[in-house]
Amino acid sequence: DAGVTQSPTHLIKTRGQQVTLRCSPKSGHDTVSWYQQALGQGPQFIFQYYEEEERQRGNFPDRFSGHQFPNYSSELNVNALLLGDSALYLCASSLVSGGEAYGYTFGSGTRLTVV
Amino acid sequence: GEDVEQSLFLSVREGDSSVINCTYTDSSSTYLYWYKQEPGAGLQLLTYIFSNMDMKQDQRLTVLLNKKDKHLSLRIADTQTGDSAIYFCAENLGYSTLTFGKGTMLLVSP
């Protein structure tokens, strides 16, 4: 049973460019959440997708956007990249039941470096 | 506020017990979690505790929750060198989003 898979594993981009990160949730999960983990920090919640809609959003600018597809996979897009966007981007999947999400499982992350 | 705080570093000898502490601020959190992160890797769920519990034991791991003081601890018995990693405490807020602490680096020496 595959867990959460993220691609690519590493990425180098130039300031001002745009980037798309991808996530496939664990089998049976229907909800995808994205987190940003800067070096030496804990993960920070970006947003969560459920039923192809953004369900909740953290304190991130509109440059960060996402999408969830009918097969529950998800993309994170970041426009106009800044040096400060360099981080490990983590995807987590879960299953919603009774309004709560269960079985939170994280992927290994995508390491984004902006130069 | 929604800050989760942890001490940054803990060093123990192999075979000793390790205790990692965490304080959280939101009393409405339903679940509290402990995650482990090894270098270059994602987050591995170690254990979690429901907010109406005081203690949970899972093999070498013991979680203690003091809701009055909003204090959570993780005890690792018989700590091994393979336990060296960063440990994150996290609380589950609305819509099951997690708020993490900055992590505690555990270093286990032989």
Side-chain angles (χ1 to χ4, degrees), chain B residues 53-64:
Chain B
M53 298 170 65
D54 297 326
M55 185 183 86
K56 180 179 180 181
Q57 188 152 0
D58 184 1
Q59 298 182 338
R60 293 191 296 124
L61 306 178
T62 303
V63 178
L64 296 178

Side-chain angles (χ1 to χ4, degrees), chain A residues 33 35 37 40-45 48 55-56 88 90 99-102 104 106-109 111, chain B residues 30-31 33 35 37 40-45 88 92-103:
Chain A
S33 303
Y35 290 79
Q37 185 180 18
Q41 302 294 317
Q44 298 286 318
F45 174 71
Q48 183 182 85
R55 188 179 186 221
Q56 187 81 350
L88 179 68
L90 295 163
E100 286 291 337
Y102 298 91
Y104 239 82
F106 280 85
S108 297
R111 173 73 62 188
Chain B
T30 52
Y31 287 93
Y33 299 83
Y35 283 87
Q37 188 175 40
L43 298 175
Q44 174 194 351
L45 176 64
F88 291 96
N92 180 358
L93 301 178
Y95 292 107
S96 300
T97 62
L98 300 183
T99 298
F100 288 84
K102 291 186 176 180

Side-chain angles (χ1 to χ4, degrees), chain A residues 22-91:
Chain A
R22 295 177 175 82
C23 173
S24 292
K26 183 177 178 179
S27 178
H29 285 183
D30 59 5
T31 302
V32 172
S33 303
W34 287 92
Y35 290 79
Q36 180 196 65
Q37 185 180 18
L39 198 62
Q41 302 294 317
Q44 298 286 318
F45 174 71
I46 303 174
F47 42 53
Q48 183 182 85
Y49 276 84
Y50 172 64
E51 293 186 339
E52 302 180 47
E53 298 280 337
E54 184 181 288
R55 188 179 186 221
Q56 187 81 350
R57 188 179 184 94
N59 188 24
F60 278 80
D62 292 344
R63 297 187 298 109
F64 290 77
S65 63
H67 188 77
Q68 185 179 35
F69 298 93
N71 66 354
Y72 308 118
S73 67
S74 176
E75 288 181 349
L76 163 65
N77 300 293
V78 187
N79 293 323
L81 284 166
L82 305 173
L83 295 179
D85 295 330
S86 295
L88 179 68
Y89 288 84
L90 295 163
C91 170

